[in-house]
Structures are given as structure tokens and as C-alpha cells.
Amino acid sequence: MKKYFLQIVLSFLLVAGFGFAASAQTTTVQGRIVDLNRKPVQGVTVAQVDADQRTVKAVSTDVEGNFVIKVSSKADSLTFSYIGTETIKHPIGNRTVFNITLKTSSAGLGEVIVVAQRTTDNGMMNVKDRNQTTATAKINAKELEEMQAASIDQALQGRLAGVDITAASGDPGAGMQIRIRGTSSINGATNPLIVVDGMPYETSIPSDFNFGTSDEVGYAQL
């Protein structure tokens, strides 16, 4: 029993010793960072970097340019980086206070190339062509200016791939029959959703509609 008790005590002392040694290596480092005009710089990243250039931990300066960081190894270095300034690196060693003055970076931008990506209006927003998940067909209004057509659906007849536009009947004032996805579809509707200036346009024909007395406010006003 005494033997086991002695082993437990020795194990506890070893663990406590290792914990004390590990905590003894932690060093608190503090300092203040200013610019060339001696004004404090807020938001500077202060990072502990090991020999393999890996970031161990990092903090940021406050509104007065002050920082406090607990480093785990004096053999590592501290880096001070901020947008538009040169990154400064100092070995930690036995230092516990770092007062740093940041210098403006003299590096300039090289050649800048602006690339415009083509977008398509899907009725709700502009979407990049490469991000589109639906098939689209376009026609320029310039191509329809010289055409002799009584309505826009007649002008589009035979000009858009995948869109079938035929006369619904021979009655005066009758609208055109517009079909998408071919003349028939298994799961989807074949009637198109027409949106004019962001508002859905009703294309259904009432059962009691009289084509003979239709006018510009009736069906086929599109």
C-alpha cells in the first residue's frame, strides 16, 4: 500500500513539475506601436512566429496603439504588420517591451487589368453568364425596329431558339400561342412567364372572352 502511495505522490510531483516548467516558459510581452508622426496605430497585427515561419498566436493593438501578448518561447520572433506599412520582425529573446515605429511601404502596384464579365438579367437580378443554371435566348431590339408586326409576339415569331409562336386562331384580335420547352413537356408547363418592367404579365384567356369584341385592353395587348 505504501508502495502504491509513493508512486502516486511521485507521479503528481512529476506532473506538477512539468506544468511549472511549461508555465515558467510563458513570457508576457507588451509595447506600443506608432507611425512616423508619433501617432498611435490601431489594429496592427502582432504575431508570434516560430523558426518555421508559422504563426503561434497573434493579437491586435488597441486605440492607443498598445498591445500585450503572452509568448510561449523566447526563441521565436514577433512580427508587426499593418496595411500600407512595412512588416517588421524582431526576435523575442529576453525583451519584454517592444516600442515600434511603422514605416509606410514604398511598394507600388504593378499593371492592373480590369476584366468585365457579361451578365444576364433573369427578371430579378443580374447574374453572371457563367453562373447561370437555366437556358437563355436573347434578341436585340435593334433587330425588330424595321419589322412590320402588329405585336411583339408576332415580331418574335421564328427568331428565338426553343420558343414556338403560332397563331391561336384566325379570329380578329386573337393573340399568339407561345410555347417554350418544345410543344409539350412531361413535368414543366409550356406557357411562358412574361415579365414586363419587373411585373408578371397575365397571358391566360378567360373562358368567356370574345375575340370579336376585343380591344387594346383585352387579350393580345402584348
Side-chain angles (χ1 to χ4, degrees):
M1 185 68 181
K2 292 182 178 180
K3 181 179 179 180
Y4 290 118
F5 178 74
L6 181 60
Q7 289 179 348
I8 293 175
V9 172
L10 288 176
S11 300
F12 174 76
L13 290 175
L14 288 174
V15 172
F18 282 124
F20 177 76
S23 61
Q25 292 180 354
T26 302
T27 304
T28 301
V29 178
Q30 59 185 349
R32 189 167 185 263
I33 300 178
V34 298
D35 57 15
L36 294 176
N37 297 323
R38 310 304 299 174
K39 294 183 179 180
V41 183
Q42 181 184 7
V44 178
T45 300
V46 182
Q48 177 187 350
V49 180
D50 61 12
D52 296 326
Q53 305 304 314
R54 295 175 299 187
T55 300
V56 179
K57 62 176 63 176
V59 297
S60 298
T61 57
D62 59 15
V63 68
E64 297 295 333
N66 300 316
F67 72 92
V68 177
I69 183 173
K70 291 185 177 181
V71 296
S72 56
S73 176
K74 294 182 178 181
D76 294 343
S77 302
L78 286 182
T79 60
F80 306 88
S81 57
Y82 187 72
I83 298 176
T85 62
E86 297 179 357
T87 299
I88 300 176
K89 183 177 180 181
H90 285 293
I92 298 174
N94 294 323
R95 295 181 60 180
T96 57
V97 177
F98 287 83
N99 294 320
I100 304 298
T101 301
L102 294 179
K103 298 180 180 179
T104 304
S105 176
S106 59
L109 289 176
E111 182 180 3
V112 177
I113 301 177
V114 179
V115 179
Q117 295 187 354
R118 187 175 179 179
T119 61
T120 299
D121 189 355
N122 63 2
M124 295 179 292
M125 65 183 71
N126 287 326
V127 181
K128 296 179 181 178
D129 285 356
R130 61 180 299 177
N131 295 336
Q132 281 218 130
T133 58
T134 58
T136 60
K138 301 178 182 179
I139 186 170
N140 197 322
K142 287 288 185 181
E143 302 178 20
L144 308 178
E145 286 183 352
E146 303 299 330
M147 293 189 59
Q148 299 296 325
S151 61
I152 185 63
D153 46 1
Q154 291 182 8
L156 295 176
Q157 190 173 15
R159 291 182 171 270
L160 290 175
V163 180
D164 297 317
I165 303 177
T166 58
S169 69
D171 295 333
M176 304 293 287
Q177 186 181 57
I178 304 176
R179 292 289 182 266
I180 59 175
R181 303 190 183 96
T183 57
S184 62
S185 176
I186 296 176
N187 297 324
T190 58
N191 293 323
L193 171 63
I194 299 176
V195 180
V196 180
D197 293 336
M199 297 296 295
Y201 186 85
E202 182 63 38
T203 59
S204 61
I205 304 176
S207 59
D208 59 346
F209 185 79
N210 187 351
F211 285 106
T213 60
S214 63
D215 53 21
E216 63 179 4
V217 297
Y219 185 72
Q221 62 181 340
L222 179 64

